[in-house]
Amino acid sequence: MPHPASPRPPGVPAARRPELPPVHDTVICVAAPCLAISPEHGQLTGRGIDGVYRAGRRLLSRCVLRVAGREPVAVRGRRLGADRASFSATVRTGADPGPDPDIGVERVRHADGTERITLRSFTARPVRIPVEVLLGTDLAELASVAAGAAGTELPAAVHAAGLRWSTGEAQAVTAAEPAPDDALASAGLLRWQLELGPGESRTIELRTTQDRVTRASAGQVANPLADAVAEGDDPRVEAWFRTSVEDLGALLLRDPEGPGDAFAAAGVPWRLGLAPAESLWAARMALPLGTGLAAATLRILARSQAGGRGPGAGRIPGPLRGAGPQLPPGCTGTEATLAFPAVLAEARLWGMPEEEVALLLPAAERCLDWLRGALGADGFLADPDPGPRRCETQAHAHRAALLGAGLLDGCGRPGGEEWRQWAAALRERFRTGFWIDGPDGGRPAAALHPDGRPLPRLTGAAAHLLDTGLLSGGRFAPGLLDRTRTEQVARLLGAPAMDSGWGLRSMAVREPGHNPFGHRSGAVRAYESAVAVAGLAQAGFEKEAAGLLRGLLDAAENFGYRLPEMFAAEQRTLGSAPLPHPAACRPAAVAAAAGIHALAALVGIRPDAPAGTVAVVPLPGAPLGALRLSGLRVSGEPFAVRISRLGLGMVEEAADALQLGG
């Protein structure tokens, strides 16, 4: 899980980071920049992180319902979609003898601050019941709430059909429809007397906004993602794919500097904003849903790219990110800079219009120029400099060079052959410097120290060595490893030390410092697992890819198909379930996109829109049975593909200009 960091003087201990409140047992609704965080019972108690937020400000922290003088008995809380959740409860008023509830309560809470409370009578005669809603807020910033530094509740004032709270810099209004019979500002209380006939229902709607308007805008941008659908023998595939698409769409935010461009926020509740590398990786994994998100994200990052001349020219800025106890923080800016030309190259193959590619090409060339001058004396890329040479950073650099070369060739720009030679030289250095031989076949080092010593840890970063990227003609770029070493990495990733049964561990079980909850030292990271599935599939390792894919799907089912960014990697046993990480973002952009990426890898779509071709090369054996993906986009047109139970692929819908291959 990323955490911004900054250098500190030698000998000065790091400041203790505030402990994040647990959110694994909460129900989170998001329609960026709106957010609602609720306990499973649905009552917002005014404690902890619960509340309704907009743009990082808590507009409502307390919303407690009482019916007939008592709190309803919670029965079930569940998400109805990315942006809304339902909470069911019952009440015994005593109107009828016996233990049976006589009032049903259904609360539907939306991320935009709207809540509908519906009461239904189960009695055989009319009843008159008092209904009360206790409201309150501190108008605190989410960062203060997370740090445990939120203030006390503010005094309320009666406002129209509800209550209002304000400070010098913010205010919130909760209005009700129908208007309450009574509003007590001193108690933060709205009260109704409702009459219900047998079987009748009455609904109260609460609307919490930042101002005096009657309804809040959800704040959602025009969604550039296609409304694609998955269907198959395994019904869980449809739910996982649908939830992944919904969650990714719910995380979209406008760029303040270019409101026409949207990006995927990193995740909620902690990182509802731009994270350069993760937003770009999410856009890349969502390319089967269209190139619009990738184009917008690339434009946003191009606007932040360093200009001028010198060592930093062409680099995309980004904060440092924690790398676990084995390594110092890595730089998300380095990762984003290396990803930029690769994502642009692949987006072009999926059908990004050439005029859009042309506008972004200068920024991609500046990224490559930065890479050319960033290598150390040993021929590897440090992250950050001076610092360790991470194996995944070399993989990102190698992919940037090869996909960048293809991009330059395709756009009629010089330099492609130079970058292919550069990549070939990096391959030779990597195989010599990073590979640690051993009786079991050896392994790649997780990193090289600045003095050249290898860090002999087996980590999930090895999956990035298999993610080589797509070239023209439906070909994959060569990887840093030769075939023998690629086979060894595939074997390692598919073995129990790395495959937890729920996905890929971020560090092998017996490595020193392994922690099943450690975000870089053992926990399953959904994004890295999907990268491993796709890389293993493209390299032809069906068994290992299928094992990780099935585990990830099983984990998704256990998490209601909304995978958190990470979860504990305890070994799977009969009857066990994946354990949530209490501080993980859920949803998170790369975890949501992981479902799209893994299933697209299973289907094996290889487009080359500029050449007017598309190939479908499914993972052999059809590990999830028959599967159909429809509503995808290739060359900007609808694309549908079906995989049979025998693992044979058939394109059912495609642009007229596309020639099909295999």
Side-chain angles (χ1 to χ4, degrees):
M1 183 169 56
H3 293 286
S6 57
R8 62 180 185 274
V12 177
R16 184 175 178 83
R17 185 181 295 118
E19 183 177 350
L20 295 175
V23 292
H24 64 285
D25 56 353
T26 61
V27 180
I28 297 180
C29 306
V30 59
C34 304
L35 180 64
I37 306 174
S38 312
E40 292 179 325
H41 52 68
Q43 298 273 45
L44 301 182
T45 62
R47 299 187 296 270
I49 195 173
D50 301 338
V52 174
Y53 297 79
R54 184 178 178 89
R57 173 85 62 182
R58 181 155 65 179
L59 304 184
L60 194 66
S61 60
R62 185 161 57 104
C63 184
V64 176
L65 173 68
R66 292 178 184 165
V67 179
R70 64 189 70 185
E71 292 192 24
V73 176
V75 175
R76 183 178 62 175
R78 62 191 178 101
R79 286 187 299 109
L80 300 177
D83 64 340
R84 63 196 186 282
S86 171
F87 304 94
S88 301
T90 61
V91 177
R92 284 191 65 240
T93 65
D96 291 326
D100 300 335
D102 45 22
I103 300 292
V105 180
E106 188 81 11
R107 305 172 71 172
V108 177
R109 182 170 295 139
H110 292 247
D112 68 0
T114 303
E115 178 170 342
R116 293 180 180 88
I117 304 170
T118 300
L119 292 88
R120 180 184 175 194
S121 174
F122 302 140
T123 64
R125 56 183 179 274
V127 293
R128 181 180 175 85
I129 53 174
V131 176
E132 298 176 331
V133 177
L134 289 85
L135 303 168
T137 187
D138 50 13
L139 290 177
E141 295 281 357
L142 177 56
S144 298
V145 177
T152 57
E153 280 194 2
L154 299 168
V158 175
H159 172 74
L163 299 174
R164 177 173 58 87
W165 304 265
S166 62
T167 65
E169 57 183 15
Q171 76 165 1
V173 174
T174 297
E177 174 64 37
D181 300 321
D182 200 7
L184 300 177
S186 59
L189 177 68
L190 304 181
R191 181 183 293 142
W192 295 261
Q193 289 287 339
L194 299 185
E195 298 201 14
L196 295 173
E200 277 191 344
S201 298
R202 294 284 301 276
T203 297
I204 297 169
E205 182 174 280
L206 305 175
R207 300 178 300 276
T208 299
T209 68
Q210 283 182 303
D211 48 41
R212 299 168 187 265
V213 300
T214 58
R215 189 177 183 87
S217 167
Q220 289 180 301
V221 301
N223 193 336
L225 302 172
D227 191 17
V229 175
E231 308 162 85
D233 286 344
D234 191 330
R236 301 175 301 166
V237 166
E238 186 274 334
W240 187 23
F241 193 83
R242 183 188 68 248
T243 303
S244 296
V245 174
E246 286 181 356
D247 282 348
L248 192 58
L251 289 169
L252 297 181
L253 279 173
R254 291 186 181 90
D255 178 36
E257 295 184 17
D261 289 334
F263 63 90
V268 293
W270 314 122
R271 293 182 289 123
L272 192 56
L274 177 67
E278 289 173 74
S279 297
L280 199 50
W281 289 132
R284 181 197 183 203
M285 292 191 289
L287 281 172
L289 306 183
T291 61
L293 180 59
T297 307
L298 289 166
R299 284 193 293 268
I300 292 167
L301 295 181
R303 287 194 282 269
S304 71
Q305 189 176 35
R309 301 182 182 276
R315 191 173 178 279
I316 294 169
L320 296 183
R321 173 172 57 198
Q326 308 290 335
L327 290 167
C331 185
T332 61
T334 298
E335 196 172 329
T337 306
L338 298 175
F340 193 105
V343 174
L344 180 58
E346 289 190 327
R348 179 175 177 268
L349 297 179
W350 280 91
M352 181 185 287
E354 291 294 343
E355 58 270 21
E356 294 187 34
V357 175
L359 291 173
L360 290 163
L361 185 60
E365 290 181 298
R366 288 193 292 272
C367 289
L368 292 172
D369 288 342
W370 173 84
L371 173 58
R372 183 184 288 109
L375 292 187
D378 58 0
F380 295 120
L381 185 61
D383 179 26
D385 187 26
R389 283 76 169 139
R390 305 170 199 265
C391 80
E392 68 270 29
T393 303
Q394 315 316 310
H396 297 331
H398 184 257
R399 181 174 54 238
L402 286 179
L403 271 61
L407 178 66
L408 295 173
D409 290 346
C411 294
R413 297 286 296 164
E417 185 56 34
E418 175 193 346
W419 278 111
R420 279 185 283 273
Q421 294 174 7
W422 187 98
L426 179 59
R427 283 197 294 276
E428 291 303 315
R429 291 193 298 272
F430 187 89
R431 293 169 187 175
T432 301
F434 269 80
W435 192 262
I436 303 172
D437 289 316
D440 62 348
R443 61 170 64 182
L448 298 183
H449 294 287
D451 61 6
R453 290 179 298 112
L455 178 63
R457 300 285 183 268
L458 179 59
T459 71
H464 295 274
L465 298 174
L466 304 181
D467 178 18
T468 62
L470 191 64
L471 295 173
S472 61
R475 299 172 297 114
F476 287 108
L480 280 169
L481 304 175
D482 57 27
R483 182 63 186 179
T484 300
R485 290 176 173 132
T486 298
E487 185 174 354
Q488 172 66 0
V489 168
R491 186 187 68 80
L492 292 170
L493 296 183
M498 287 297 290
D499 183 357
S500 69
W502 304 111
L504 187 73
R505 292 184 172 93
S506 54
M507 183 187 289
V509 169
R510 289 187 170 85
E511 297 292 352
H514 172 82
N515 175 359
F517 283 90
H519 71 281
R520 298 277 173 163
S521 56
V524 172
R525 301 170 63 228
Y527 156 65
E528 212 157 62
S529 295
V531 167
V533 169
L536 289 164
Q538 78 177 51
F541 296 99
E542 170 194 350
K543 177 184 175 183
E544 292 81 2
L548 285 172
L549 175 61
R550 290 191 191 101
L552 205 56
L553 176 57
D554 292 341
E557 180 185 18
N558 275 272
F559 287 111
Y561 301 104
R562 173 181 275 181
L563 277 171
E565 61 177 331
M566 60 182 173
F567 51 91
E570 296 283 14
Q571 185 62 43
R572 183 174 184 173
T573 57
L574 183 64
S576 68
L579 298 177
H581 190 295
C585 284
R586 182 170 173 254
V590 290
I596 302 165
H597 191 56
L599 293 173
L602 173 61
V603 173
I605 306 169
R606 303 182 185 180
D608 185 352
T613 65
V614 62
V616 174
V617 186
L619 187 67
L624 301 182
L627 173 66
R628 181 176 186 266
L629 298 181
S630 60
L632 306 177
R633 291 289 185 273
V634 178
S635 292
E637 298 291 333
F639 186 85
V641 61
R642 181 185 298 273
I643 306 302
S644 74
R645 294 185 180 94
L646 298 177
L648 301 176
M650 180 177 68
V651 175
E652 293 188 336
E653 183 181 17
D656 292 338
L658 281 179
Q659 180 180 348
L660 307 181

